Amino acid sequence: MIKNPFITGNDQLLSYKNSLRHDLPASIVVFLLALPLCLGIALASGAPLSAGLIAGVIGGLVVTSFSGSALGVSGPAAGLAVIVFSAVQELSFEAVLLAVVIAGVIQFIMGHLGAGVIGYFFPSAVIKGMLSGIGIIIFLKQIPHAMGYDKDYEGDLSFFQKDDYTTLTELSHMLDFIAPGAIVISLAGLAILLLWETSWIKQFLFKQWIHGSVLVVVVGVILNQFFLFFYPEWALGASHLVRLPVAETYHDLLSLITLPDFSQISNPAIYPVALSIAIVASLETLLCVEAVDKLDPFKRVTSNNRELRAQGIGNICSGLIGGLPMTQLIIRSSANIQSGGRTKTSSFTQGLFLLIVVLFIPGVANMIPLASLAAILLVVGYKLAKPALFKAMYQIGYFHFIPFIATILGLIFSDMLTGISIGMGCALLFILLENLHVGFHLHEQEKLKKTIITLSDNVSFLNKSKILHILSNLPKKSNLVIDATYAKYIDYDVYEVIQNFKVDARRKKINLVIQNLRGFGFLKPVERALPVTKESQQALKPGDVLEMLTAGNNRFVNNLKNNRNLLEQANESIDGQFPIAIILSCIDSRTSSELIFDQGLGDVFSVRVAGNVVNEDILGSMEFACKAAGSKLVVVLGHTHCGAIKGACAGTKLGNLTGLLDKIQPAVDSVKVGKAAKYSVQGCTHVEQVAERNVEIMVEEVKQRSEVLAEMEAGGDIRIVGAMYNIETGIVEFYN
């Protein structure tokens, strides 16, 4: 298998042959579009036409070789034409070439310094807006060319054109200059492109090697030659065709190359021009890189810093031999992707084609009608601004849709950099608005009169107003929890608001719980709760364990929890476990003791059985936990709304369940004769009274039926307690 030298990384699995059948047709399409674009931008820059062609060749051969972008195509950019034109008028073209070389050096240094990171700060909505905006501009700009009106140069993206018209007014002005031959050629081209997308054409093998755009150009040339012979009045003249400079002799060829004027190195006026070119070219390149990566069907990620270095090398080379400054270009790159390009081979090959045609067969290229290229670009523009994209962006939400639309409108009615600036400004505004809501999460429990504020990882000054409003409107005697566990940054103003509220909370008798508020500014992570060790377990007393479970339940009630890595806890307890307590609870899915008491893996033994009843197996487990494993507390945990208790009260009979419910019957009988639990809550239902009494009886059974546990409790080594868990409030109330 032959490897493609322009395929890197995981793409080495592609063979040269497999990539070539996609890249070669795409390179021809890009080459055909590059011809008039290079010439048009050179014309707009006030530079020799050869300068645009040199930049196109360097962009294809040199930049591609150093770039990491698989699908990006580089060449002279319309966004730099204004800068170059002004500089040429003020200085000279040779002096501008020196500025281009210096700009390339600046870009290369920027790439080494990591300035490419700027590209990652362009919001997705702005990038997609840029693509759609350019697509609409391409579509609008190519309509006159398709009609035979070619006064505005190819590649112009500005709203205000050099022919004193705008993108929109040009559409009416062109009606006075319609060329029937151009209309026929462009309509024929559009028909071919539409036909090429049908399933009927896709079934033929030749479609893999012949792209519809190439056929459009061939048909356009044939039609114009046909008009020349049979309908001369419909034939397109030189002004409607590609116009490459023709070098007939070796001397003519050398005259295409212009060297920079190095004597201007001491001219201070050179450096502002060089800096302007470097900054604008770098911004346009970074924007294009982000856009091309989004369009890439393989979703490859380009190194921005490598791309800056590659562009820098390209501009140095271009300036040294008389070429215009360059950037990565969205029009040619998107055409490359839409034409099926897969690797850098496509971009490199189009540069090679450009060089060969300019040197050896410029006359053939000069037969290509601009109307044919307009048909191709009309389709490219439409695909960049498909209605489906507008619908998708609208569905994402207004915070993304409005910057998306703002970018499009900015591009259409100004120029690329101005449009991007408008979109960025709009996006930043909505980012600020989003930050008003993402700094914290608010959860209100109306039944419990409890408000929980969970601070996010970044709490900025923008969140101050909202938090202050919430705190100021809390009613008296309410409950407030502020959880800063996950905060990585807290603005000082927000921190001050919380600290000041402590005074107001005491005045309003608000029960305030603040968790892990560790100061302000950039905060260290909350320390992880570690598993219990043998030493820490032995140092605990039964009362200490009871306090730990009570504190854990308080965290649970307030929607808080200790910072834990459960897998890490499990791994650290491989050599032995040292739980602090054993908890007998019901199998009810709402009564997981680890969650209720905010405990981690290895912290407690959990025994579960319907109705939290006691039998020999459970007693044996408790004896193991306390005598062998060192646990300090035995908890029998009942709960409200217990299904097993309801079944016992109703006298349910069901297979093996009947025997289990019989163990709860003493509690049912006890409540019937008026003997409720010692710690029974006043006003509770009959079922809750039975549940409370059942806990009390089970605690007594543990003490009576296990001599081991009874002796340990008598010696102060352990405590045996009962508790009730209220499912509605989450509160656990301990007995004994």
Side-chain angles (χ1 to χ4, degrees):
M1 181 181 291
I2 303 173
K3 300 295 184 181
N4 186 338
F6 294 108
I7 301 177
T8 57
N10 295 331
D11 291 337
Q12 282 288 5
L13 297 175
L14 297 173
S15 68
Y16 183 81
K17 180 180 179 181
N18 286 339
S19 65
L20 187 63
R21 69 188 179 91
H22 297 284
D23 290 331
L24 185 59
S27 68
I28 297 173
V29 175
V30 177
F31 149 70
L32 292 171
L33 295 178
L35 281 173
L37 292 173
C38 289
L39 296 172
I41 292 166
L43 187 65
S45 302
L49 295 180
S50 59
L53 296 170
I54 290 171
V57 172
I58 295 295
L61 301 181
V62 177
V63 175
T64 301
S65 301
F66 290 96
S67 170
S69 178
L71 298 171
V73 181
S74 298
L80 296 171
V82 175
I83 299 174
V84 175
F85 183 84
S86 300
V88 169
Q89 301 304 312
E90 181 183 349
L91 303 168
S92 66
F93 180 62
E94 291 77 7
V96 171
L97 292 178
L98 177 61
V100 173
V101 174
I102 297 172
V105 173
I106 294 172
Q107 284 186 287
F108 189 81
I109 294 172
M110 289 171 64
H112 271 290
L113 294 178
V117 70
I118 296 171
Y120 302 127
F121 290 95
F122 295 117
S124 175
V126 174
I127 298 297
K128 291 179 179 178
M130 180 189 74
L131 288 171
S132 296
I134 290 176
I136 293 172
I137 292 171
I138 293 172
F139 194 91
L140 294 175
K141 292 281 190 183
Q142 292 305 314
I143 293 175
H145 294 293
M147 296 292 184
Y149 181 69
D150 300 306
K151 291 292 184 181
D152 187 33
Y153 70 90
E154 285 283 9
D156 183 16
L157 298 179
S158 298
F159 182 70
F160 298 99
Q161 302 175 174
K162 288 201 170 186
D163 60 358
D164 296 325
Y165 290 92
T166 67
T167 303
L168 298 181
T169 58
E170 187 93 316
L171 298 178
S172 60
H173 178 65
M174 72 179 183
L175 298 177
D176 297 329
F177 303 92
I178 288 179
I183 295 176
V184 172
I185 290 171
S186 59
L187 288 177
L190 287 173
I192 292 170
L193 291 173
L194 293 175
L195 180 66
W196 221 251
E197 295 297 322
T198 62
S199 56
W200 180 72
I201 288 292
K202 289 180 179 179
Q203 65 181 327
F204 295 106
L205 187 63
F206 67 81
K207 185 183 182 297
Q208 297 181 3
W209 287 94
I210 302 176
H211 197 277
S213 299
V214 178
L215 189 59
V216 167
V217 172
V218 173
V219 169
V221 171
I222 293 173
L223 280 174
N224 197 45
Q225 294 301 310
F226 175 81
F227 293 149
L228 280 171
F229 285 103
F230 298 101
Y231 299 96
E233 65 276 11
W234 279 33
L236 300 179
S239 62
H240 301 297
L241 305 174
V242 172
R243 288 180 288 179
L244 287 180
V246 179
E248 296 180 352
T249 65
Y250 180 73
H251 182 268
D252 291 340
L253 185 62
L254 290 179
S255 67
L256 298 178
I257 298 175
T258 305
L259 300 178
D261 184 1
F262 285 100
S263 67
Q264 295 288 320
I265 194 75
S266 59
N267 185 351
I270 290 291
Y271 297 95
V273 175
L275 186 61
S276 298
I277 292 173
I279 292 174
V280 174
S282 298
L283 286 175
E284 290 198 10
T285 292
L286 293 175
L287 283 164
C288 186
V289 166
E290 291 296 305
V292 170
D293 283 352
K294 288 186 181 298
L295 294 174
D296 183 2
F298 297 100
K299 300 305 175 188
R300 289 162 288 195
V301 178
T302 302
S303 168
N304 287 350
N305 291 321
R306 179 177 174 181
E307 187 63 31
L308 283 181
R309 293 194 294 270
Q311 294 292 331
I313 293 171
N315 277 322
I316 291 171
C317 295
S318 183
L320 287 174
I321 59 174
L324 292 174
M326 69 186 69
T327 71
Q328 192 175 112
L329 304 163
I330 191 59
I331 296 178
R332 278 171 254 185
S333 299
S334 57
N336 185 26
I337 295 168
Q338 292 177 18
S339 302
R342 290 195 173 185
T343 72
K344 293 201 294 183
T345 302
S346 173
S347 177
F348 184 87
T349 307
Q350 69 86 27
L352 192 60
F353 284 149
L354 195 58
L355 177 63
I356 292 171
V357 169
V358 169
L359 292 180
F360 302 110
I361 51 172
V364 175
N366 288 341
M367 298 171 64
I368 300 173
L370 294 179
S372 293
L373 301 179
I376 298 171
L377 287 170
L378 282 170
V379 174
V380 170
Y382 173 78
K383 288 184 177 181
L384 284 175
K386 282 185 177 179
L389 177 59
F390 286 76
K391 182 180 179 181
M393 291 302 296
Y394 179 78
Q395 291 174 341
I396 292 174
Y398 288 115
F399 280 16
H400 292 268
F401 183 69
I402 294 177
F404 168 74
I405 294 296
T407 305
I408 292 174
L409 294 176
L411 260 76
I412 292 174
F413 293 104
S414 58
D415 54 55
M416 183 170 174
L417 287 181
T418 304
I420 293 296
S421 300
I422 293 171
M424 284 294 294
C426 189
L428 288 174
L429 174 62
F430 281 98
I431 288 171
L432 293 177
L433 292 175
E434 281 184 320
N435 269 275
L436 293 176
H437 303 283
V438 302
F440 62 94
H441 173 71
L442 180 66
H443 178 60
E444 294 181 304
Q445 298 176 338
E446 294 182 3
K447 288 185 178 180
L448 303 177
K449 295 183 178 180
K450 180 182 292 184
T451 300
I452 300 173
I453 298 176
T454 304
L455 301 182
S456 64
D457 58 351
N458 183 17
V459 188
S460 70
F461 169 80
L462 298 172
N463 305 120
K464 174 184 175 180
S465 174
K466 186 71 173 177
I467 293 175
L468 188 59
H469 175 76
I470 293 171
L471 298 181
S472 301
N473 288 279
L474 284 174
K476 293 181 179 180
K477 297 183 179 180
S478 59
N479 299 289
L480 174 66
V481 178
I482 300 177
D483 184 9
T485 301
Y486 306 105
K488 297 178 181 177
Y489 174 85
I490 298 178
D491 184 82
Y492 175 77
D493 285 13
V494 175
Y495 175 80
E496 187 179 44
V497 166
I498 296 173
Q499 294 298 324
N500 292 340
F501 180 72
K502 291 179 180 179
V503 178
D504 196 36
R506 288 193 292 268
R507 182 179 60 82
K508 296 169 105 176
K509 296 183 180 178
I510 294 174
N511 179 30
L512 175 63
V513 177
I514 300 178
Q515 177 87 345
N516 292 323
L517 185 62
R518 310 178 298 286
F520 56 87
F522 292 98
L523 308 176
K524 292 182 179 180
V526 176
E527 292 185 3
R528 289 177 179 171
L530 300 175
V532 182
T533 64
K534 183 175 182 180
E535 292 74 18
S536 60
Q537 182 203 55
Q538 291 177 346
L540 291 172
K541 296 179 180 179
D544 300 330
V545 176
L546 189 58
E547 289 180 4
M548 291 170 67
L549 295 184
T550 302
N553 179 243
N554 286 335
R555 290 193 296 274
F556 172 75
V557 169
N558 290 316
N559 199 33
L560 303 172
K561 57 184 178 181
N562 278 338
N563 185 28
R564 290 188 175 88
N565 184 322
L566 295 178
L567 181 59
E568 184 180 83
Q569 282 193 311
N571 290 335
E572 290 185 4
S573 61
I574 289 176
D575 295 332
Q577 57 174 334
F578 308 98
I580 58 176
I582 178 168
I583 302 171
L584 169 62
S585 61
C586 183
I587 63 167
D588 192 294
S589 60
R590 300 162 292 179
T591 61
S592 173
S593 57
E594 289 88 350
L595 297 179
I596 292 170
F597 294 111
D598 187 32
Q599 299 299 307
L601 296 179
D603 291 343
V604 295
F605 286 113
S606 181
V607 183
R608 303 183 69 175
V609 63
N612 43 274
V613 298
V614 173
N615 59 31
E616 288 78 6
D617 296 329
I618 290 174
L619 288 172
S621 298
M622 290 178 173
E623 290 170 356
F624 166 78
C626 296
K627 193 69 176 179
S631 296
K632 305 292 184 178
L633 191 68
V634 177
V635 180
V636 179
L637 180 65
H639 67 96
T640 59
H641 306 288
C642 179
I645 299 296
K646 291 178 182 178
C649 292
T652 301
K653 304 295 182 183
L654 180 63
N656 293 319
L657 178 62
T658 303
L660 187 148
L661 296 182
D662 287 344
K663 293 182 172 62
I664 304 174
Q665 196 60 41
V668 177
D669 297 338
S670 179
V671 172
K672 281 184 179 179
V673 299
K675 188 176 180 181
K678 183 177 180 181
Y679 300 97
S680 179
V681 178
Q682 292 293 327
C684 64
T685 65
H686 174 71
V687 172
E688 310 309 335
Q689 287 180 338
V690 173
E692 291 169 346
R693 180 59 181 147
N694 182 58
V695 169
E696 197 172 71
I697 290 174
M698 293 306 152
V699 169
E700 293 170 358
E701 284 201 23
V702 171
K703 294 178 179 180
Q704 292 172 4
R705 296 172 62 181
S706 173
E707 294 182 3
V708 173
L709 297 177
E711 288 178 3
M712 292 185 73
E713 185 178 39
D717 296 326
I718 65 169
R719 282 180 65 180
I720 305 171
V721 299
M724 278 293 293
Y725 167 55
N726 189 315
I727 287 177
E728 294 180 3
T729 65
I731 296 173
V732 173
E733 184 179 354
F734 285 96
Y735 304 150
N736 303 337

